[in-house]
Amino acid sequence: MDHLNSKLAIDGGMPVRERMLPYGRQHLDEDDIQAVVEVLRSDWLTTGPAVAEFENSFSRSVNANESVAVSNGTAALHAAMHAIGIGVGDEVIIPAISFVATANCVLYTGGTPVFSDVQSDTLLIDPLKIEANITSRTKAIIAMDYAGHPCNYDALRAVADKYGLYLVADACHSLGSSFKGRLVGSLADLNIFSFHPVKAITTGEGGMITTNDKELSRKMRIFRNHGITTDHLQRAKQGSFLYEMHTVGYNYRLSDIQCALGVSQLQKLSKFVKRRREIASIYDNALRDYPVISPLSVRDHVLHSYHLYAVKVQLDQIGMNREQIFSALRAENIGVNVHYMPVYRHPLYKLVGTNENNRCLTAESVYEQLLSLPIFPDMTNEDVSHVVDAIEKLHN
Ligand SMILES: *Cc1c(COP(=O)(O)O)cnc(C)c1O
């Protein structure tokens, strides 16, 4: 690095790069564009053949029997809570650190989210701390594969089975990851994915639930279509206009336009994961020289797809706190982010009153150290060097 530039941009120096490097973004190519254009020229824009095609190829790629496509990852979580029958008075255990949607889906159906503490070195829900939060009202555990690192599904399954709970995986970070050689998407009773542009593959907005349980997938297919028992294709086949509604559903359908993009993106998933892992390994090596920033741990028997490259800021190393480091890196045009504040610290959850007497102390303390560095398949090695250069400037 040019030592003339070594003054931090936040102190008036030159930033390490001219344009902001985002923390994540989509990769789209001509095949993706062509796939969408074909649908635009076809007869079906929604609930046509591309939906089943996307669902089937998704099932194959994660080794699940059933995939249900919905309009986004949050709708997928909602459909999952509906399918397992979460209602008023039911408790669902979730990690203290996640995106708000992981907890909100429990509120949607009238249930109560119960936040459970995370491991300090992975930020994954701590299987050893779950049992203390189980009551006679507990119905399910939602695990979340933070950053793309799969949870210990053997340990989670053991707890779930011991108490007769459903095990749900919020796998919105971990498409393409595996645990002990088993693919994410096949590890929990219900597995939730998002296709938001920063996620592993994108459909603009989109979501999927995978399961091996036919009855649960049937309920979710009805739920995504207003609660109506047949869709227009089934009615056409039966030669009937009749349909019935037994439960309240929503319009959570994913269009053919989006599903065609999904099919095309899915073909590139392993390439995307490979590049994310390459970037992570460059970071791993480079960061050894900079004690202020340390990567999270990666367990044995795990293939990590690195939706995020999250690090912990070692607060005692230099006289800056996380907020100051965040601002200094942003001033260098490095789009760092923070994933996430403990969910129960949001004003809504204070109002709901969850965890008032049950704070998750590890989550609260680790949160103060958290930072996500940019990572996405199209990031060049030069982009990665800019991030490392900016971190080096913090140490000067
Ligand atoms: C992205 C995400 C969601 C929600 O997905 P959307 O498609 O944006 O609704 C839920 N949980 C986690 C952990 C996520 O990262």
Side-chain angles (χ1 to χ4, degrees):
M1 185 177 39
D2 183 350
H3 72 278
L4 294 175
N5 287 349
S6 67
K7 191 175 180 187
L8 283 170
I10 203 168
D11 297 330
M14 281 263 290
V16 295
R17 55 184 282 130
E18 256 172 53
R19 284 184 54 211
M20 184 63 80
L21 178 67
Y23 88 89
R25 63 162 285 147
Q26 71 276 13
H27 167 97
L28 290 176
D29 60 23
E30 279 307 312
D31 292 341
D32 297 319
I33 292 165
Q34 202 47 48
V36 170
V37 168
E38 267 174 41
V39 174
L40 294 177
R41 296 190 199 284
S42 79
D43 291 337
W44 300 104
L45 297 188
T46 193
T47 318
V51 180
E53 194 190 345
F54 186 33
E55 290 179 341
N56 292 338
S57 51
F58 201 86
S59 293
R60 278 194 301 276
S61 69
V62 303
N63 199 20
N65 291 349
E66 301 274 338
S67 295
V68 180
V70 292
S71 46
N72 53 67
T74 305
L77 284 162
H78 188 184
M81 292 303 102
H82 165 79
I84 63 174
I86 301 304
V88 176
D90 294 335
E91 294 177 358
V92 178
I93 292 177
I94 58 177
I97 290 191
S98 188
F99 183 53
V100 292
T102 317
N104 290 348
C105 70
V106 181
L107 294 184
Y108 294 166
T109 58
T112 305
V114 174
F115 297 93
S116 201
D117 212 347
V118 297
Q119 298 167 334
S120 67
D121 64 335
T122 60
L123 299 196
L124 300 174
I125 193 166
D126 189 337
L128 300 175
K129 291 184 180 165
I130 290 177
E131 278 191 70
N133 295 313
I134 292 176
T135 71
S136 58
R137 300 169 200 242
T138 309
K139 291 279 158 57
I141 301 166
I142 308 180
M144 199 279 269
D145 299 334
Y146 182 85
H149 186 310
C151 295
N152 183 339
Y153 282 94
D154 287 345
L156 293 173
R157 178 61 74 190
V159 181
D161 284 354
K162 182 170 170 190
Y163 294 91
L165 310 177
Y166 280 106
L167 179 57
V168 178
D170 180 338
C172 288
H173 291 189
S174 57
L175 177 59
S177 300
S178 56
F179 173 72
K180 295 190 177 171
R182 285 133 63 200
L183 287 165
V184 164
S186 68
L187 295 164
D189 299 316
L190 292 163
N191 310 274
I192 311 300
F193 296 92
S194 163
F195 310 126
H196 179 277
V198 297
K199 304 292 165 73
I201 64 167
T202 190
T203 60
E205 298 277 1
M208 191 77 83
I209 313 102
T210 62
T211 182
N212 288 340
D213 186 322
K214 249 196 141 64
E215 181 55 19
L216 293 181
S217 69
R218 191 187 66 85
K219 283 184 178 162
M220 293 185 291
R221 286 180 206 286
I222 291 171
F223 185 73
R224 74 172 171 192
N225 192 31
H226 307 280
I228 291 170
T229 50
T230 56
D231 68 27
H232 74 92
L233 287 174
Q234 293 165 316
R235 287 196 294 281
K237 233 185 267 168
Q238 291 161 4
S240 166
F241 58 84
L242 279 176
Y243 57 81
E244 287 182 345
M245 196 183 73
H246 297 266
T247 56
V248 174
Y250 293 78
N251 178 353
Y252 278 165
R253 295 185 303 258
L254 194 63
S255 71
D256 280 55
I257 303 169
Q258 293 164 301
C259 287
L261 181 54
V263 171
S264 175
Q265 285 267 300
L266 200 51
Q267 290 168 4
K268 294 180 277 267
L269 173 63
S270 57
K271 246 175 46 192
F272 292 162
V273 171
K274 184 164 172 272
R275 179 59 187 157
R276 285 178 179 275
R277 288 172 55 77
E278 266 169 25
I279 294 166
S281 118
I282 302 174
Y283 275 141
D284 286 345
N285 288 326
L287 292 179
R288 290 204 185 101
D289 297 335
Y290 305 109
V292 73
I293 300 281
S294 34
L296 300 183
S297 303
V298 180
R299 300 276 183 261
D300 292 339
H301 314 302
V302 150
L303 188 124
H304 189 329
S305 61
Y306 287 100
H307 163 59
L308 300 175
Y309 191 90
V311 297
K312 290 203 279 185
V313 170
Q314 300 305 329
L315 300 168
D316 46 354
Q317 290 286 333
I318 49 174
M320 290 171 104
N321 62 25
R322 193 263 314 271
E323 279 63 33
Q324 290 165 322
I325 291 174
F326 175 91
S327 305
L329 292 175
R330 279 289 178 99
E332 302 293 340
N333 286 328
I334 304 302
V336 285
N337 242 296
V338 174
H339 300 94
Y340 305 91
M341 181 167 81
V343 178
Y344 62 81
R345 283 178 45 176
H346 284 282
L348 170 70
Y349 282 94
K350 286 191 183 150
L351 219 66
V352 172
T354 41
N355 287 59
E356 245 168 18
N357 307 310
N358 180 28
R359 290 170 53 206
C360 298
L361 298 179
T362 305
E364 291 192 21
S365 97
V366 169
Y367 164 63
E368 303 296 336
Q369 295 180 274
L370 277 180
L371 211 54
S372 302
L373 306 182
I375 189 164
F376 52 94
D378 282 350
M379 200 171 158
T380 64
N381 288 358
E382 192 189 8
D383 293 332
V384 182
S385 302
H386 288 150
V387 179
V388 176
D389 288 348
I391 289 169
E392 177 171 341
K393 282 171 85 174
L394 294 174
H395 287 74
N396 289 338

